[in-house]
Amino acid sequence: MTPSPVASSAQSPRPNLAFRRLRGQRSPGEFAAAVRRAAREIGERVSCDARYIGRVEAGEIRCPNYAYERVFLHMFPGRSLTDLGFAPRSAVRGRAARPAEPVPLAHTEFEFPHHDEESDVRRRAFMTGGTATVAIASLAPLGIAADGTAAHAARSTAAGHGGRAAPAAGVGAVEEAIRRIRLLDDRHGADGLYKRAAAPLRTAFALLDAGTAAPGTAERLQAGAGELAISVGWLAHDSGRFDDARSHYAEALATARVAGDPALEAHAFCNTAFLARDSGRPREAVRAAQAATRVAAQLASPRLLSLLALREAGGWAGLGDRRGCERALARAQALFARGRSDDDPEWMTFYGEAELEGLEAQCYSALGDWTRAARHARRAAALQDPHFTRNIALYTAELADDLARAGQPDEAASAGMRVLHLLTEVQSSRIQSMLATTARVLLPHRRASGVSAFLEQHASAPRTA
C-alpha cells in the first residue's frame, strides 16, 4: 500500500508488520468489523474501517488515539502498544529536530467529562506555529489531540517545509474532526457542539482553497471537507437551525460535484432529504432521496440504499401518501436484510435495526397511525446500542408522543419521564421540542398522577439556550 501524503516527512513511514501479522487471514474489512465489535464490548466506539486498518499497517498511524488504544489492548490482552507495532506515545509526542529557526510545535491533549459539554476542553499544553499547526489547533474545540499521524506531519511540516505542506498535515486532523463530531453527537446531541464545529469547517475549506496539496492529499481533503460540512450541517439541523443546515448541505453537495465523488454526493442528498422532511417540504424530500438513490446505485452498499429508501418513505408520509410510503418502507426492509458490506460508508455506523425501526415509527406517526408508530418506536428504543444516548432519547420521545396521541396518557408520561432523565446527558433542541409537544397533548389528562408528575418535572426542566 502506498503511504498517504498525510504521513509524509523526511523519513517514509515504516510498515507495521506486527499489526499485519495479528490480522492474519482476515481481510481489512473483516478485521475492522472485529475492532468495532471489541469496542462495543467495552463501551467504546470507534469508526474503524478497512482504510483505517490499511493506514495502520502502512505505518501512517504511528500511535493510535486513546479510544483505539483501549480497544486494541482489549483485543490482545497482555500486549502493549509496542508489541502491536506502534511507537510509544511519548516518542510520537516528542519534539522534532530543531530547525535552523526555531518554530513552536503543536502539542495538545484534551479530555471530555461525561456531563459538561462546555467545560470539556482541558488544555495541558498548547503551542502553535505555522499554517499546519494552526490548522490542527483549530480543531481544539472538538477535543482533538494533535497526536498520531496529524501531529507527526505537522511537526515535519514546521521543521522542514515552512508551512507549504499544510494541507497534508491538516487532512488527518480534518478526518479526526469528523469522527469526533459523530462520537460526541451520538452521546450528547447537537446543541452543545454546533458553534464549536464552525472553526474546523472553516479550516478545512481554507486548506482546500489554498490549492497546495499533492493530488492524493487533495482528494482526501475534498472528501474530508465535504463530510465535515455534512457533519456540521447535521449539528445545525438537529439543533433547529434549518437555514444553516441547508447551506452546509449545499456546500457539501457542491464539493462532491466538483470532486466527482459519488459517495459524498449520495450522503449530501441523503441529509438534504431528511432536512426537507423536517422543514415541511416533503416533495423535495422525495426528490432528494431519489437523486441520492440514483447516485448510490454505483456504490454497492445495500445498507446505504436501504437508508435512502427510508428517506424517500419519510417524504411520502409527509405528503400523506400511505401507499408510496409503504412501498419505500418495503424496499428499505428488503435492502436492509441483505446485511452489511465492506462498501458501506463509514458515516453509516449509526444505521442498524434500531434506526430502521425508529424511522418507520416516524413515517407512521406522520401518517397518523399512532398505534403502529408506537410499536416501532418501542422496538427502536429497546434495540438501540447504549452508546447512542441521543438516539435512545429520540426514540423514547417519539414513543411518548405516539402513546399520548394513541390515547395512552399514563404510558406516554412514563416514557416522557425517561426522556427527561436522558436529557441530563443529551442536548438536542429536536428532542426538547418533541417533548414539549407531548406535554401539550397530555395537558387534558393532567389530573392523572403519572401525567401530573411528568408535566411538573417537564415544566421545571432546564431548556437549551
Side-chain angles (χ1 to χ4, degrees):
M1 179 180 291
T2 302
S4 165
V6 172
S8 63
S9 64
Q11 181 178 1
S12 298
R14 178 180 300 173
N16 187 337
L17 300 180
F19 198 86
R20 174 62 187 89
R21 285 194 294 271
L22 290 169
R23 174 160 68 85
Q25 297 300 312
R26 289 174 286 187
S27 71
E30 291 170 334
F31 193 69
V35 172
R36 295 194 298 271
R37 285 194 299 271
R40 289 194 294 270
E41 290 172 2
I42 60 173
E44 192 57 76
R45 179 185 177 246
V46 292
S47 298
C48 188
D49 59 7
R51 184 175 63 174
Y52 179 88
I53 298 301
R55 291 177 64 206
V56 170
E57 293 179 359
E60 296 175 21
I61 297 176
R62 297 177 61 207
C63 185
N65 65 27
Y66 286 114
Y68 276 106
E69 177 182 353
R70 285 189 289 272
V71 175
F72 292 150
L73 296 183
H74 171 68
M75 292 178 71
F76 304 107
R79 289 184 168 93
S80 65
L81 283 181
T82 53
D83 293 332
L84 303 181
F86 294 109
R89 195 173 300 280
S90 57
V92 172
R93 286 189 170 172
R95 290 182 176 271
R98 187 176 295 274
E101 295 184 6
V103 179
L105 302 176
H107 183 183
T108 64
E109 183 177 325
F110 305 100
E111 293 180 352
F112 280 73
H114 291 290
H115 302 296
D116 188 351
E117 288 268 324
E118 296 305 323
S119 64
D120 53 5
V121 179
R122 297 181 180 178
R123 305 187 181 197
R124 296 183 183 174
F126 185 52
M127 299 192 304
T128 62
T131 307
T133 52
V134 170
I136 295 174
S138 74
L139 305 176
L142 298 175
I144 295 172
D147 60 352
T149 302
H152 176 64
R155 286 194 290 271
S156 299
T157 297
H161 300 286
R164 289 181 288 107
V171 65
V174 169
E175 291 171 343
E176 182 62 21
I178 298 166
R179 297 185 184 99
R180 193 65 173 165
I181 285 173
R182 291 170 184 164
L183 175 66
L184 292 173
D185 177 53
D186 290 340
R187 289 180 176 172
H188 303 295
D191 286 8
L193 296 173
Y194 175 60
K195 291 182 180 179
R196 288 187 286 151
L201 181 60
R202 286 194 298 270
T203 295
F205 279 99
L207 292 172
L208 189 59
D209 290 342
T212 56
T217 304
E219 291 174 5
R220 282 181 61 195
L221 191 53
Q222 282 181 318
E227 288 291 346
L228 188 54
I230 292 173
S231 292
V232 175
W234 166 249
L235 297 180
H237 180 174
D238 196 45
S239 56
R241 300 172 173 93
F242 289 171
D243 288 343
D244 288 356
R246 191 176 181 85
S247 175
H248 290 308
Y249 293 160
E251 190 168 35
L253 185 58
T255 302
R257 292 273 178 83
V258 168
D261 186 336
L264 179 59
E265 185 175 352
H267 191 186
F269 269 130
C270 177
N271 278 44
T272 298
F274 200 22
L275 176 64
R277 188 208 72 171
D278 287 352
S279 302
R281 299 191 300 273
R283 197 167 298 280
E284 180 186 329
V286 171
R287 289 197 298 266
Q290 290 173 341
T293 299
R294 288 193 295 272
V295 175
Q298 59 188 293
L299 300 178
S301 171
R303 284 289 168 94
L304 174 57
L305 292 171
S306 173
L307 178 61
L308 296 175
L310 286 168
R311 295 287 186 250
E312 183 181 337
W316 290 123
L319 290 167
D321 186 339
R322 187 179 187 113
R323 184 179 177 188
C325 175
E326 291 190 331
R327 280 202 303 262
L329 287 177
R331 191 164 73 250
Q333 292 161 353
L335 288 162
F336 185 88
R338 295 186 189 179
R340 297 193 181 276
S341 162
D342 286 345
D343 294 310
D344 292 341
E346 182 181 355
W347 59 267
M348 285 192 64
T349 52
F350 74 94
Y351 184 51
E353 191 175 358
E355 182 74 3
L356 174 65
E357 293 283 352
L359 291 173
E360 285 198 59
Q362 292 172 17
C363 286
Y364 284 110
S365 180
L367 291 169
D369 190 341
W370 314 117
T371 300
R372 194 163 184 176
R375 185 163 65 247
H376 285 290
R378 195 187 304 276
R379 287 179 191 159
L383 289 167
Q384 184 59 70
D385 186 318
H387 164 82
F388 292 86
T389 311
R390 179 259 179 202
N391 279 2
I392 294 173
L394 175 68
Y395 302 147
T396 309
E398 175 70 38
L399 174 62
D401 194 65
D402 294 333
L403 289 170
R405 295 176 188 275
Q408 302 178 57
D410 289 332
E411 284 193 62
S414 176
M417 291 291 271
R418 295 198 295 275
V419 178
L420 287 173
H421 175 72
L422 289 167
L423 286 177
T424 61
E425 303 177 46
V426 174
Q427 296 181 30
S428 171
S429 295
R430 172 196 294 268
I431 296 171
Q432 289 186 348
S433 177
M434 292 171 66
L435 208 57
T437 300
T438 301
R440 288 193 293 271
V441 174
L442 288 176
L443 271 175
H445 306 279
R446 57 185 175 274
R447 293 185 182 279
S449 60
V451 174
S452 176
F454 164 69
L455 292 175
E456 288 177 9
Q457 187 162 333
H458 177 261
S460 63
R463 301 289 188 270
T464 301

